[in-house]
Each structure stands twice: as C-alpha cells, then as structure tokens.
Amino acid sequence: MTLSAHDALIHLMLVAASSDTTMTDKELTRIQALIERMPVFEGFDRSRFAAVANECADKLNQPNGLDHVVDDAIAALPAKLQDTAYAVSVEVTAVDLFLEQEELRFLELLRDKLDLDRLTTAAIEVAARARNRRLPG
C-alpha cells in the first residue's frame, strides 16, 4: 500500500523519535505540535494519528523494518518535500537538545537516502538547534 505524503512524514518523525529505543513525551508532543501547526499537514485528519503510528510500528517490527519504513516514506514524498522530511525528523530529535548516537545514525541514514546536499542538511540542523535552545539556569 502506498503511503500518503502526510503518513510518510509522520512515519519519519516516529522513527526519528524512537531511533534511540525510547519515545519520550516531549518527542510525542513535538510530533503532534508539528502536525497541528505546519502548513504541510493541512488536510490531515488528526484522528488518524494513532492508526498511522500503529502502521509504522507494524512495519518496523518486520524484517528490515527500518529500511522499509524509510524507503516507503521517501518513495511517497514528492521531491519538493524531501527537505521538509529531513527538517521534521531533525525537529523531533532536537527537542531535548541532546542527540543519542542512535538518533545521529538515523539522521545520517535519512540524509544518505534523501536527495539533499550537505549544506541544506547542515542549515536544517543548525536552525533546529537554535529554535530549541533555552536560556541557562
């Protein structure tokens, strides 16, 4: 079954959030906030979120699940949304301002599979860190 672009973006965010084996409340809240506020998600029926998440989890639990989820998601996205896919994935992993090795490896995998240049991905990463920074103390 072919994913919609909305479902593909959500799958990538969910994989990004769970890439370190734990999806935190902050990450889940960020995913839901992105779905609510980003123009790319206009028209997405939010009541489908749980079903989309379950479909992603089912795929991940199959042999070579990570590769299948990422490849299926990328195939479902128009080329003009590849930078958006990377940006939402980075946004989810950057929510706590500390990336585990597994999260870094997932972002590297995604970067390699997307048709994006290194300058674009670096700019996305720096912007996410800047948006998530907090005042000291």
Side-chain angles (χ1 to χ4, degrees), residues 1-9 11 59 69-79 81-82:
M1 177 174 96
T2 303
L3 295 174
S4 72
H6 291 143
D7 292 4
L9 291 170
H11 281 205
K59 280 186 176 183
V69 169
V70 173
D71 291 344
D72 290 351
I74 291 171
L77 292 172
L81 289 183
Q82 290 206 357

Side-chain angles (χ1 to χ4, degrees), residues 54-73:
N54 287 333
E55 177 186 340
C56 180
D58 290 346
K59 280 186 176 183
L60 280 172
N61 289 326
Q62 296 174 4
N64 299 316
L66 176 62
D67 286 328
H68 285 117
V69 169
V70 173
D71 291 344
D72 290 351

Side-chain angles (χ1 to χ4, degrees), residues 30-95:
R30 178 59 51 96
I31 291 169
Q32 291 169 331
L34 292 170
I35 292 169
E36 288 176 19
R37 78 167 193 255
M38 288 186 72
V40 75
F41 288 106
E42 286 177 6
F44 177 70
D45 178 3
R46 291 184 194 119
S47 69
R48 290 189 54 246
F49 179 73
V52 174
N54 287 333
E55 177 186 340
C56 180
D58 290 346
K59 280 186 176 183
L60 280 172
N61 289 326
Q62 296 174 4
N64 299 316
L66 176 62
D67 286 328
H68 285 117
V69 169
V70 173
D71 291 344
D72 290 351
I74 291 171
L77 292 172
K80 69 179 184 175
L81 289 183
Q82 290 206 357
D83 57 351
T84 304
Y86 191 72
V88 296
S89 297
V90 169
E91 191 70 31
V92 170
T93 60
V95 73

